[in-house]
Amino acid sequence: MNDTQKDDLFYVCSLIEFIGRKTKNRRADVVKTLGKKELERQLELASVNHCLSFEQVSDEIIEYFNIKEGDFDSVGLCKYNIPSFQAIGKDYQRLIIDVSSEKDNIVDVLYSVFQSFISDEISDFNSSVYYSNPQYLKYSYLEGKLLA
């Protein structure tokens, strides 16, 4: 994966986090609503869309996909400092890169990671999972549970 592709992946992961926070939806639900075709499209548009505000891009996506407000308020429930949506986007980007191989379709890996248990764990800002070592996140994801 070249640097441009990594930047595009970071952008899309941050956008998913932004939409999830804005609509109070689990990130898995956002990804499921968008689907793989739209995720691929967003990766293709990322180099252009990064010039726009996340607010504008997310508003367009929320409206187009009719994403309703959910009840997963990871920001409102947080008792501590809330990590930025870009910091969480970076965690997802690293994890997706770490668990993918050269022959993997990055959209499939992105979809899988966001659909897995680790997504809610990363979004629990009252825990320290999002601060965890990238290798810990990788091996927890591969194991299918948080490692002790």
Side-chain angles (χ1 to χ4, degrees):
M1 178 175 281
N2 65 39
D3 287 342
T4 300
Q5 292 168 318
K6 287 178 185 177
D7 289 345
D8 293 347
L9 179 60
F10 167 66
Y11 175 84
V12 171
C13 291
S14 297
L15 181 61
I16 293 165
E17 178 65 22
F18 190 89
I19 292 170
R21 289 181 186 198
K22 187 171 187 172
T23 63
K24 297 182 176 123
N25 279 289
R26 286 182 156 72
R27 305 341 174 227
D29 294 337
V30 172
V31 165
K32 187 175 181 181
T33 298
L34 297 180
K36 290 181 182 180
K37 185 176 179 181
E38 180 62 19
L39 292 170
E40 186 170 351
R41 182 175 166 275
Q42 288 302 317
L43 282 168
E44 291 169 3
L45 294 172
S47 59
V48 174
N49 282 349
H50 82 272
C51 298
L52 304 171
S53 72
F54 278 93
E55 194 74 38
Q56 179 182 350
V57 176
S58 68
D59 283 347
E60 291 171 5
I61 291 172
I62 291 165
E63 182 179 339
Y64 185 82
F65 286 92
N66 196 28
I67 300 174
K68 303 290 185 207
E69 186 164 317
D71 60 1
F72 187 72
D73 189 5
S74 58
V75 172
L77 296 174
C78 186
K79 300 174 190 171
Y80 310 105
N81 288 333
I82 301 164
S84 71
F85 67 93
Q86 294 103 330
I88 299 301
K90 189 66 155 170
D91 280 346
Y92 279 113
Q93 178 217 36
R94 266 191 241 118
L95 178 58
I96 291 164
I97 291 169
D98 286 349
V99 300
S100 64
S101 69
E102 296 268 335
K103 57 187 170 196
D104 286 334
N105 178 322
I106 203 66
V107 172
D108 291 339
V109 178
L110 182 152
Y111 192 86
S112 244
V113 166
F114 275 97
Q115 289 294 307
S116 76
F117 80 96
I118 200 103
S119 185
D120 281 353
E121 297 292 343
I122 290 171
S123 293
D124 181 358
F125 303 140
N126 289 319
S127 77
S128 60
V129 173
Y130 62 90
Y131 282 126
S132 296
N133 179 301
Q135 292 301 309
Y136 174 77
L137 293 176
K138 174 185 177 179
Y139 290 111
S140 291
Y141 169 77
L142 292 173
E143 191 66 28
K145 65 180 182 182
L146 290 179
L147 301 174

